[in-house]
Amino acid sequence: MDGALFQLAWPALTLSLRVAAWATAINLLLGVATGFALARLRWPGINLLDAVLTLPMVLPPTVLGYYLLVLLGRRGLVGNWLAQHFGITLIFTWQGAVIAATLVAFPLVLKAARTAFEQIDPQLEQAGRVLGLNEAAIFLRISLPLAWRGILAGGLLAFARALGEFGATLMVAGSIPGRTQTLSVAIFEAVQAGEDTLANMLVLITSTACVLILVCAGRLAPASPSSRRAQ
Amino acid sequence: MSLTLRLQARVSSGPRTFRLDIDWQTSAQRIVIHGPSGAGKSLTLQALAGLLRPSAGRLAIGDTVLFDHTAGIDLPARQRQLGYVFQDYALFPHLDVRQNVAFGLQPGLRNPLRGARDPRVEHWLDALGLRLVAAQAPHTLSGGQRQRTALARALVSSPRALLLDEPFSALDPALRSRMRDELEQLLDQLRLPLVLISHDAEDLARFGEATLALAEGTRHDAR
C-alpha cells in the first residue's frame, strides 16, 4: 500500500475509531440504564417511549443531523446555552461527530439491553431480595451479569454503526480533514475528487473493520447458557 | 412459633384480577398450605416473604411483625430473614454451587468470589452432601442436588423460618420420599419453623402440624 496514501487515510481512521469508541461508551451507559428501565417499569406509555427512542434507527440520518443542528447550532436552544455559559461549540467539532454517532447508534444498545434484561427470570431477582440484597446489589450481582453478553453484542453493533456513520455526522461536524473528517466522510470526498485509489483503500479499511466487529458480535449474540434459567 | 396470616391483596395479570383474602392464626411449628393450583398458595408465601405487598392485613412470625397495614409496618423482603426455597429453586446460573450457597452471607455489591471459603458455607455443603459438586454450575446438577443447593442457600444465613414452595413437585417419586426424610431430619435438628406449600397428601401427613386449605384465594377448611 502506498505510504503517502496511508498518511492521508490515517487521520480519518483514528478519528473514526475515537468517535465510535466514545459513542459506544456513552451508549453503553445510557442504553443499559434506559433498557433496564424499559424492561422493568410497568408504565402505560412505556412502549410509546420505546418507539420514540428507536426512532433514530428508522429516520434518515440527515433528518437526525438537521434536528441536531437546530438544537445544538449557534441559535439552537442547547447550543446557545452551552455557548453562553461554558463557551462550548459542538457544531463542526469531533465532539459534535460523537453526539451524532451516539444518537444514530443508541437504539442498537437500547434494544439489546432491554431484551437481555427481559429474558432474565424474575424469580432470580426475587431470590436476591429474599437473601437480603438491596436493589442496587441485585442489579450489579444478578441482573447485569446475566444480561452483559446481550448488552455487549449490542454495543459491538453500535460501534460498527457509529464507525460507519455518515449523514448526521456530515451535517453536524462537517468535513474538515484531520479534525472532523471521519472514514465515511473521507470516502465521499475522495470519490467526489476522483481519487479512486484513496477511496479504494478507505473502503477496504472500513469493510474489514465492520466484518471483524460483526463476527465478534455474532459470537456473543446467541443466548448464552447464563441468560437462561437453570432447569 | 406463632404465625399470623391476615391479608388482603389484589393481583392483576392482564385483564384478570385475583383476590386474596385470608384470616388465619396458628401456634403450630410446621404448617402446610394446600389447595388446588390457582388457589393463591404461592401468593400467600410471597406475601409472607415480602415479595407481594398486601393491601390490608397483618403478617407476623413469632414476635416479629412483618407487615401491619394499620400500624404502617412493611418490612422489606431483604430484612425479613426468611429462608425461601422457590418451586424451581431459582439458583443463580452465573454462579457455582458454593457461590450460590454463600450468596446471602454478604449483602454488598459484589458476588462471593469463586473458591472463597466461608466456614458456614462449607458446613452446609457437607451437611447436604454438596461437597463434590461445590464448584459446578447449577445446570449440571441433578434435581436432588439442585434442591439441596437451594436449601443450603436458604439455611446458611440462619433464617427465622423456612418457606418452601412445592419443594418436591419437580422430583421423581423415589427422590421425593428421600428428600422428605432429609427435610424432616433437618427441621428436627434445627428446630426451625416451616411453612410449606404442597398438594401432596404425604406432605400434609408428614409436615402438617397445622394445615391451611385455600381455594380461590380464601380459606377453605373442609374439616
PDB file of all heavy atoms in Angstrom, chain A residues 171-207:
ATOM      1  N   MET A 171     -23.557  16.517   8.589  1.00  0.00           N
ATOM      2  CA  MET A 171     -24.335  17.727   8.820  1.00  0.00           C
ATOM      3  C   MET A 171     -23.901  18.448  10.087  1.00  0.00           C
ATOM      4  O   MET A 171     -23.884  19.672  10.136  1.00  0.00           O
ATOM      5  CB  MET A 171     -25.824  17.379   8.893  1.00  0.00           C
ATOM      6  CG  MET A 171     -26.353  17.009   7.522  1.00  0.00           C
ATOM      7  SD  MET A 171     -28.118  16.794   7.483  1.00  0.00           S
ATOM      8  CE  MET A 171     -28.723  18.451   7.653  1.00  0.00           C
ATOM      9  N   VAL A 172     -23.561  17.670  11.127  1.00  0.00           N
ATOM     10  CA  VAL A 172     -23.237  18.296  12.416  1.00  0.00           C
ATOM     11  C   VAL A 172     -21.771  18.708  12.478  1.00  0.00           C
ATOM     12  O   VAL A 172     -21.436  19.790  12.954  1.00  0.00           O
ATOM     13  CB  VAL A 172     -23.581  17.333  13.574  1.00  0.00           C
ATOM     14  CG1 VAL A 172     -23.095  17.904  14.893  1.00  0.00           C
ATOM     15  CG2 VAL A 172     -25.077  17.087  13.612  1.00  0.00           C
ATOM     16  N   ALA A 173     -20.889  17.815  12.001  1.00  0.00           N
ATOM     17  CA  ALA A 173     -19.450  18.046  12.202  1.00  0.00           C
ATOM     18  C   ALA A 173     -18.752  18.540  10.939  1.00  0.00           C
ATOM     19  O   ALA A 173     -17.617  19.029  10.996  1.00  0.00           O
ATOM     20  CB  ALA A 173     -18.790  16.768  12.699  1.00  0.00           C
ATOM     21  N   GLY A 174     -19.410  18.402   9.805  1.00  0.00           N
ATOM     22  CA  GLY A 174     -18.792  18.837   8.569  1.00  0.00           C
ATOM     23  C   GLY A 174     -17.699  17.892   8.109  1.00  0.00           C
ATOM     24  O   GLY A 174     -17.662  16.727   8.512  1.00  0.00           O
ATOM     25  N   SER A 175     -16.804  18.387   7.280  1.00  0.00           N
ATOM     26  CA  SER A 175     -15.765  17.536   6.713  1.00  0.00           C
ATOM     27  C   SER A 175     -14.437  18.277   6.702  1.00  0.00           C
ATOM     28  O   SER A 175     -13.932  18.665   5.666  1.00  0.00           O
ATOM     29  CB  SER A 175     -16.171  17.114   5.298  1.00  0.00           C
ATOM     30  OG  SER A 175     -15.108  16.452   4.664  1.00  0.00           O
ATOM     31  N   ILE A 176     -13.894  18.501   7.890  1.00  0.00           N
ATOM     32  CA  ILE A 176     -12.616  19.193   8.000  1.00  0.00           C
ATOM     33  C   ILE A 176     -11.517  18.144   8.119  1.00  0.00           C
ATOM     34  O   ILE A 176     -11.457  17.441   9.124  1.00  0.00           O
ATOM     35  CB  ILE A 176     -12.585  20.125   9.233  1.00  0.00           C
ATOM     36  CG1 ILE A 176     -13.834  21.012   9.245  1.00  0.00           C
ATOM     37  CG2 ILE A 176     -11.314  20.958   9.256  1.00  0.00           C
ATOM     38  CD1 ILE A 176     -14.070  21.729  10.550  1.00  0.00           C
ATOM     39  N   PRO A 177     -10.658  17.996   7.090  1.00  0.00           N
ATOM     40  CA  PRO A 177      -9.648  16.928   7.114  1.00  0.00           C
ATOM     41  C   PRO A 177      -8.794  17.011   8.372  1.00  0.00           C
ATOM     42  O   PRO A 177      -8.353  18.107   8.757  1.00  0.00           O
ATOM     43  CB  PRO A 177      -8.816  17.196   5.854  1.00  0.00           C
ATOM     44  CG  PRO A 177      -9.732  17.959   4.951  1.00  0.00           C
ATOM     45  CD  PRO A 177     -10.612  18.783   5.849  1.00  0.00           C
ATOM     46  N   GLY A 178      -8.585  15.885   9.006  1.00  0.00           N
ATOM     47  CA  GLY A 178      -7.759  15.848  10.204  1.00  0.00           C
ATOM     48  C   GLY A 178      -8.498  16.269  11.459  1.00  0.00           C
ATOM     49  O   GLY A 178      -8.028  16.052  12.564  1.00  0.00           O
ATOM     50  N   ARG A 179      -9.664  16.895  11.312  1.00  0.00           N
ATOM     51  CA  ARG A 179     -10.382  17.331  12.520  1.00  0.00           C
ATOM     52  C   ARG A 179     -11.753  16.700  12.656  1.00  0.00           C
ATOM     53  O   ARG A 179     -12.093  16.167  13.703  1.00  0.00           O
ATOM     54  CB  ARG A 179     -10.486  18.853  12.545  1.00  0.00           C
ATOM     55  CG  ARG A 179      -9.172  19.506  13.028  1.00  0.00           C
ATOM     56  CD  ARG A 179      -9.296  21.013  13.131  1.00  0.00           C
ATOM     57  NE  ARG A 179     -10.496  21.391  13.877  1.00  0.00           N
ATOM     58  CZ  ARG A 179     -11.160  22.517  13.661  1.00  0.00           C
ATOM     59  NH1 ARG A 179     -10.773  23.336  12.714  1.00  0.00           N
ATOM     60  NH2 ARG A 179     -12.234  22.814  14.377  1.00  0.00           N
ATOM     61  N   THR A 180     -12.540  16.782  11.604  1.00  0.00           N
ATOM     62  CA  THR A 180     -13.866  16.156  11.714  1.00  0.00           C
ATOM     63  C   THR A 180     -14.149  15.213  10.548  1.00  0.00           C
ATOM     64  O   THR A 180     -15.242  14.719  10.411  1.00  0.00           O
ATOM     65  CB  THR A 180     -14.986  17.224  11.753  1.00  0.00           C
ATOM     66  OG1 THR A 180     -15.057  17.861  10.480  1.00  0.00           O
ATOM     67  CG2 THR A 180     -14.734  18.248  12.834  1.00  0.00           C
ATOM     68  N   GLN A 181     -13.147  14.981   9.707  1.00  0.00           N
ATOM     69  CA  GLN A 181     -13.404  14.128   8.541  1.00  0.00           C
ATOM     70  C   GLN A 181     -13.211  12.656   8.915  1.00  0.00           C
ATOM     71  O   GLN A 181     -12.086  12.164   9.009  1.00  0.00           O
ATOM     72  CB  GLN A 181     -12.482  14.501   7.396  1.00  0.00           C
ATOM     73  CG  GLN A 181     -12.979  13.959   6.061  1.00  0.00           C
ATOM     74  CD  GLN A 181     -12.028  14.293   4.945  1.00  0.00           C
ATOM     75  OE1 GLN A 181     -10.948  13.732   4.869  1.00  0.00           O
ATOM     76  NE2 GLN A 181     -12.414  15.218   4.086  1.00  0.00           N
ATOM     77  N   THR A 182     -14.313  11.965   9.145  1.00  0.00           N
ATOM     78  CA  THR A 182     -14.252  10.545   9.508  1.00  0.00           C
ATOM     79  C   THR A 182     -14.076   9.707   8.252  1.00  0.00           C
ATOM     80  O   THR A 182     -14.126  10.229   7.127  1.00  0.00           O
ATOM     81  CB  THR A 182     -15.532  10.120  10.227  1.00  0.00           C
ATOM     82  OG1 THR A 182     -16.637  10.367   9.368  1.00  0.00           O
ATOM     83  CG2 THR A 182     -15.719  10.886  11.530  1.00  0.00           C
ATOM     84  N   LEU A 183     -13.886   8.389   8.435  1.00  0.00           N
ATOM     85  CA  LEU A 183     -13.674   7.477   7.307  1.00  0.00           C
ATOM     86  C   LEU A 183     -14.741   7.627   6.234  1.00  0.00           C
ATOM     87  O   LEU A 183     -14.429   7.825   5.056  1.00  0.00           O
ATOM     88  CB  LEU A 183     -13.682   6.027   7.801  1.00  0.00           C
ATOM     89  CG  LEU A 183     -12.356   5.395   8.209  1.00  0.00           C
ATOM     90  CD1 LEU A 183     -12.604   3.959   8.624  1.00  0.00           C
ATOM     91  CD2 LEU A 183     -11.363   5.446   7.056  1.00  0.00           C
ATOM     92  N   SER A 184     -16.001   7.525   6.649  1.00  0.00           N
ATOM     93  CA  SER A 184     -17.066   7.506   5.645  1.00  0.00           C
ATOM     94  C   SER A 184     -17.170   8.856   4.933  1.00  0.00           C
ATOM     95  O   SER A 184     -17.454   8.899   3.729  1.00  0.00           O
ATOM     96  CB  SER A 184     -18.397   7.105   6.283  1.00  0.00           C
ATOM     97  OG  SER A 184     -18.559   7.744   7.524  1.00  0.00           O
ATOM     98  N   VAL A 185     -16.916   9.931   5.661  1.00  0.00           N
ATOM     99  CA  VAL A 185     -16.930  11.243   5.013  1.00  0.00           C
ATOM    100  C   VAL A 185     -15.733  11.375   4.063  1.00  0.00           C
ATOM    101  O   VAL A 185     -15.869  11.890   2.943  1.00  0.00           O
ATOM    102  CB  VAL A 185     -16.923  12.374   6.069  1.00  0.00           C
ATOM    103  CG1 VAL A 185     -16.867  13.732   5.388  1.00  0.00           C
ATOM    104  CG2 VAL A 185     -18.158  12.284   6.954  1.00  0.00           C
ATOM    105  N   ALA A 186     -14.589  10.861   4.489  1.00  0.00           N
ATOM    106  CA  ALA A 186     -13.383  10.911   3.653  1.00  0.00           C
ATOM    107  C   ALA A 186     -13.590  10.125   2.356  1.00  0.00           C
ATOM    108  O   ALA A 186     -13.106  10.531   1.288  1.00  0.00           O
ATOM    109  CB  ALA A 186     -12.193  10.362   4.431  1.00  0.00           C
ATOM    110  N   ILE A 187     -14.328   9.000   2.451  1.00  0.00           N
ATOM    111  CA  ILE A 187     -14.616   8.211   1.244  1.00  0.00           C
ATOM    112  C   ILE A 187     -15.426   9.042   0.258  1.00  0.00           C
ATOM    113  O   ILE A 187     -15.122   9.118  -0.940  1.00  0.00           O
ATOM    114  CB  ILE A 187     -15.392   6.925   1.611  1.00  0.00           C
ATOM    115  CG1 ILE A 187     -14.475   5.965   2.380  1.00  0.00           C
ATOM    116  CG2 ILE A 187     -15.935   6.238   0.362  1.00  0.00           C
ATOM    117  CD1 ILE A 187     -15.197   4.815   3.029  1.00  0.00           C
ATOM    118  N   PHE A 188     -16.464   9.698   0.799  1.00  0.00           N
ATOM    119  CA  PHE A 188     -17.312  10.542  -0.045  1.00  0.00           C
ATOM    120  C   PHE A 188     -16.475  11.616  -0.740  1.00  0.00           C
ATOM    121  O   PHE A 188     -16.561  11.801  -1.953  1.00  0.00           O
ATOM    122  CB  PHE A 188     -18.404  11.178   0.830  1.00  0.00           C
ATOM    123  CG  PHE A 188     -19.311  12.102   0.091  1.00  0.00           C
ATOM    124  CD1 PHE A 188     -20.268  11.597  -0.787  1.00  0.00           C
ATOM    125  CD2 PHE A 188     -19.218  13.482   0.270  1.00  0.00           C
ATOM    126  CE1 PHE A 188     -21.116  12.447  -1.460  1.00  0.00           C
ATOM    127  CE2 PHE A 188     -20.058  14.336  -0.417  1.00  0.00           C
ATOM    128  CZ  PHE A 188     -21.009  13.821  -1.288  1.00  0.00           C
ATOM    129  N   GLU A 189     -15.611  12.273   0.040  1.00  0.00           N
ATOM    130  CA  GLU A 189     -14.781  13.336  -0.513  1.00  0.00           C
ATOM    131  C   GLU A 189     -13.815  12.788  -1.566  1.00  0.00           C
ATOM    132  O   GLU A 189     -13.605  13.404  -2.614  1.00  0.00           O
ATOM    133  CB  GLU A 189     -13.966  14.023   0.598  1.00  0.00           C
ATOM    134  CG  GLU A 189     -14.820  14.680   1.668  1.00  0.00           C
ATOM    135  CD  GLU A 189     -15.356  16.043   1.226  1.00  0.00           C
ATOM    136  OE1 GLU A 189     -15.062  16.463   0.095  1.00  0.00           O
ATOM    137  OE2 GLU A 189     -16.086  16.674   2.023  1.00  0.00           O
ATOM    138  N   ALA A 190     -13.229  11.618  -1.268  1.00  0.00           N
ATOM    139  CA  ALA A 190     -12.270  11.018  -2.202  1.00  0.00           C
ATOM    140  C   ALA A 190     -12.939  10.699  -3.533  1.00  0.00           C
ATOM    141  O   ALA A 190     -12.386  10.954  -4.602  1.00  0.00           O
ATOM    142  CB  ALA A 190     -11.649   9.766  -1.587  1.00  0.00           C
ATOM    143  N   VAL A 191     -14.152  10.128  -3.454  1.00  0.00           N
ATOM    144  CA  VAL A 191     -14.868   9.789  -4.686  1.00  0.00           C
ATOM    145  C   VAL A 191     -15.224  11.050  -5.459  1.00  0.00           C
ATOM    146  O   VAL A 191     -15.062  11.126  -6.666  1.00  0.00           O
ATOM    147  CB  VAL A 191     -16.140   8.955  -4.361  1.00  0.00           C
ATOM    148  CG1 VAL A 191     -16.972   8.761  -5.619  1.00  0.00           C
ATOM    149  CG2 VAL A 191     -15.753   7.624  -3.761  1.00  0.00           C
ATOM    150  N   GLN A 192     -15.706  12.063  -4.731  1.00  0.00           N
ATOM    151  CA  GLN A 192     -16.054  13.330  -5.367  1.00  0.00           C
ATOM    152  C   GLN A 192     -14.860  13.940  -6.082  1.00  0.00           C
ATOM    153  O   GLN A 192     -14.986  14.510  -7.160  1.00  0.00           O
ATOM    154  CB  GLN A 192     -16.557  14.329  -4.303  1.00  0.00           C
ATOM    155  CG  GLN A 192     -17.908  13.980  -3.722  1.00  0.00           C
ATOM    156  CD  GLN A 192     -19.019  14.204  -4.727  1.00  0.00           C
ATOM    157  OE1 GLN A 192     -19.221  15.305  -5.227  1.00  0.00           O
ATOM    158  NE2 GLN A 192     -19.728  13.129  -5.070  1.00  0.00           N
ATOM    159  N   ALA A 193     -13.667  13.789  -5.463  1.00  0.00           N
ATOM    160  CA  ALA A 193     -12.465  14.385  -6.033  1.00  0.00           C
ATOM    161  C   ALA A 193     -11.815  13.478  -7.073  1.00  0.00           C
ATOM    162  O   ALA A 193     -10.774  13.816  -7.621  1.00  0.00           O
ATOM    163  CB  ALA A 193     -11.472  14.699  -4.917  1.00  0.00           C
ATOM    164  N   GLY A 194     -12.388  12.284  -7.308  1.00  0.00           N
ATOM    165  CA  GLY A 194     -11.839  11.364  -8.290  1.00  0.00           C
ATOM    166  C   GLY A 194     -10.585  10.649  -7.831  1.00  0.00           C
ATOM    167  O   GLY A 194      -9.856  10.075  -8.639  1.00  0.00           O
ATOM    168  N   GLU A 195     -10.298  10.661  -6.530  1.00  0.00           N
ATOM    169  CA  GLU A 195      -9.118   9.953  -6.017  1.00  0.00           C
ATOM    170  C   GLU A 195      -9.483   8.500  -5.726  1.00  0.00           C
ATOM    171  O   GLU A 195      -9.734   8.121  -4.580  1.00  0.00           O
ATOM    172  CB  GLU A 195      -8.603  10.649  -4.750  1.00  0.00           C
ATOM    173  CG  GLU A 195      -8.134  12.070  -5.002  1.00  0.00           C
ATOM    174  CD  GLU A 195      -7.824  12.802  -3.699  1.00  0.00           C
ATOM    175  OE1 GLU A 195      -7.389  12.134  -2.745  1.00  0.00           O
ATOM    176  OE2 GLU A 195      -8.048  14.016  -3.647  1.00  0.00           O
ATOM    177  N   ASP A 196      -9.486   7.700  -6.790  1.00  0.00           N
ATOM    178  CA  ASP A 196     -10.023   6.344  -6.670  1.00  0.00           C
ATOM    179  C   ASP A 196      -9.188   5.441  -5.775  1.00  0.00           C
ATOM    180  O   ASP A 196      -9.733   4.632  -5.021  1.00  0.00           O
ATOM    181  CB  ASP A 196     -10.164   5.713  -8.061  1.00  0.00           C
ATOM    182  CG  ASP A 196     -11.317   6.357  -8.816  1.00  0.00           C
ATOM    183  OD1 ASP A 196     -12.075   7.115  -8.158  1.00  0.00           O
ATOM    184  OD2 ASP A 196     -11.457   6.101 -10.028  1.00  0.00           O
ATOM    185  N   THR A 197      -7.847   5.543  -5.850  1.00  0.00           N
ATOM    186  CA  THR A 197      -7.029   4.647  -5.034  1.00  0.00           C
ATOM    187  C   THR A 197      -7.242   4.920  -3.549  1.00  0.00           C
ATOM    188  O   THR A 197      -7.350   4.007  -2.738  1.00  0.00           O
ATOM    189  CB  THR A 197      -5.527   4.784  -5.365  1.00  0.00           C
ATOM    190  OG1 THR A 197      -5.265   6.135  -5.719  1.00  0.00           O
ATOM    191  CG2 THR A 197      -5.123   3.855  -6.481  1.00  0.00           C
ATOM    192  N   LEU A 198      -7.327   6.199  -3.192  1.00  0.00           N
ATOM    193  CA  LEU A 198      -7.594   6.545  -1.796  1.00  0.00           C
ATOM    194  C   LEU A 198      -8.969   6.009  -1.376  1.00  0.00           C
ATOM    195  O   LEU A 198      -9.112   5.384  -0.311  1.00  0.00           O
ATOM    196  CB  LEU A 198      -7.552   8.070  -1.602  1.00  0.00           C
ATOM    197  CG  LEU A 198      -7.839   8.572  -0.190  1.00  0.00           C
ATOM    198  CD1 LEU A 198      -6.821   8.022   0.807  1.00  0.00           C
ATOM    199  CD2 LEU A 198      -7.857  10.104  -0.138  1.00  0.00           C
ATOM    200  N   ALA A 199      -9.957   6.219  -2.220  1.00  0.00           N
ATOM    201  CA  ALA A 199     -11.304   5.717  -1.921  1.00  0.00           C
ATOM    202  C   ALA A 199     -11.276   4.213  -1.732  1.00  0.00           C
ATOM    203  O   ALA A 199     -11.861   3.679  -0.780  1.00  0.00           O
ATOM    204  CB  ALA A 199     -12.262   6.100  -3.043  1.00  0.00           C
ATOM    205  N   ASN A 200     -10.567   3.510  -2.640  1.00  0.00           N
ATOM    206  CA  ASN A 200     -10.470   2.051  -2.545  1.00  0.00           C
ATOM    207  C   ASN A 200      -9.926   1.625  -1.189  1.00  0.00           C
ATOM    208  O   ASN A 200     -10.450   0.722  -0.542  1.00  0.00           O
ATOM    209  CB  ASN A 200      -9.556   1.494  -3.630  1.00  0.00           C
ATOM    210  CG  ASN A 200     -10.296   1.367  -4.948  1.00  0.00           C
ATOM    211  OD1 ASN A 200     -11.535   1.366  -4.954  1.00  0.00           O
ATOM    212  ND2 ASN A 200      -9.551   1.283  -6.041  1.00  0.00           N
ATOM    213  N   MET A 201      -8.846   2.298  -0.778  1.00  0.00           N
ATOM    214  CA  MET A 201      -8.200   1.897   0.461  1.00  0.00           C
ATOM    215  C   MET A 201      -9.121   2.163   1.648  1.00  0.00           C
ATOM    216  O   MET A 201      -9.278   1.323   2.542  1.00  0.00           O
ATOM    217  CB  MET A 201      -6.884   2.657   0.644  1.00  0.00           C
ATOM    218  CG  MET A 201      -6.113   2.144   1.821  1.00  0.00           C
ATOM    219  SD  MET A 201      -4.457   2.787   1.841  1.00  0.00           S
ATOM    220  CE  MET A 201      -4.756   4.440   2.338  1.00  0.00           C
ATOM    221  N   LEU A 202      -9.764   3.324   1.661  1.00  0.00           N
ATOM    222  CA  LEU A 202     -10.655   3.667   2.764  1.00  0.00           C
ATOM    223  C   LEU A 202     -11.827   2.688   2.853  1.00  0.00           C
ATOM    224  O   LEU A 202     -12.221   2.254   3.940  1.00  0.00           O
ATOM    225  CB  LEU A 202     -11.181   5.102   2.596  1.00  0.00           C
ATOM    226  CG  LEU A 202     -10.139   6.207   2.770  1.00  0.00           C
ATOM    227  CD1 LEU A 202     -10.705   7.549   2.309  1.00  0.00           C
ATOM    228  CD2 LEU A 202      -9.683   6.290   4.219  1.00  0.00           C
ATOM    229  N   VAL A 203     -12.350   2.347   1.681  1.00  0.00           N
ATOM    230  CA  VAL A 203     -13.477   1.403   1.643  1.00  0.00           C
ATOM    231  C   VAL A 203     -13.040   0.050   2.191  1.00  0.00           C
ATOM    232  O   VAL A 203     -13.758  -0.590   2.959  1.00  0.00           O
ATOM    233  CB  VAL A 203     -14.003   1.268   0.195  1.00  0.00           C
ATOM    234  CG1 VAL A 203     -14.880   0.035   0.050  1.00  0.00           C
ATOM    235  CG2 VAL A 203     -14.776   2.518  -0.190  1.00  0.00           C
ATOM    236  N   LEU A 204     -11.835  -0.365   1.812  1.00  0.00           N
ATOM    237  CA  LEU A 204     -11.318  -1.661   2.260  1.00  0.00           C
ATOM    238  C   LEU A 204     -11.146  -1.672   3.780  1.00  0.00           C
ATOM    239  O   LEU A 204     -11.531  -2.631   4.462  1.00  0.00           O
ATOM    240  CB  LEU A 204      -9.979  -1.922   1.571  1.00  0.00           C
ATOM    241  CG  LEU A 204      -9.720  -3.387   1.212  1.00  0.00           C
ATOM    242  CD1 LEU A 204     -10.664  -3.822   0.109  1.00  0.00           C
ATOM    243  CD2 LEU A 204      -8.262  -3.578   0.806  1.00  0.00           C
ATOM    244  N   ILE A 205     -10.555  -0.589   4.285  1.00  0.00           N
ATOM    245  CA  ILE A 205     -10.343  -0.499   5.742  1.00  0.00           C
ATOM    246  C   ILE A 205     -11.684  -0.584   6.472  1.00  0.00           C
ATOM    247  O   ILE A 205     -11.865  -1.356   7.426  1.00  0.00           O
ATOM    248  CB  ILE A 205      -9.638   0.839   6.108  1.00  0.00           C
ATOM    249  CG1 ILE A 205      -8.194   0.834   5.613  1.00  0.00           C
ATOM    250  CG2 ILE A 205      -9.664   1.069   7.621  1.00  0.00           C
ATOM    251  CD1 ILE A 205      -7.497   2.182   5.771  1.00  0.00           C
ATOM    252  N   THR A 206     -12.656   0.218   6.002  1.00  0.00           N
ATOM    253  CA  THR A 206     -13.956   0.261   6.667  1.00  0.00           C
ATOM    254  C   THR A 206     -14.639  -1.102   6.626  1.00  0.00           C
ATOM    255  O   THR A 206     -15.163  -1.591   7.644  1.00  0.00           O
ATOM    256  CB  THR A 206     -14.862   1.310   5.986  1.00  0.00           C
ATOM    257  OG1 THR A 206     -14.127   2.515   5.840  1.00  0.00           O
ATOM    258  CG2 THR A 206     -16.094   1.577   6.830  1.00  0.00           C
ATOM    259  N   SER A 207     -14.610  -1.732   5.456  1.00  0.00           N
ATOM    260  CA  SER A 207     -15.284  -3.021   5.306  1.00  0.00           C
ATOM    261  C   SER A 207     -14.668  -4.057   6.219  1.00  0.00           C
ATOM    262  O   SER A 207     -15.389  -4.824   6.909  1.00  0.00           O
ATOM    263  CB  SER A 207     -15.211  -3.513   3.862  1.00  0.00           C
ATOM    264  OG  SER A 207     -15.671  -2.508   2.998  1.00  0.00           O
TER     265      SER A 207
END
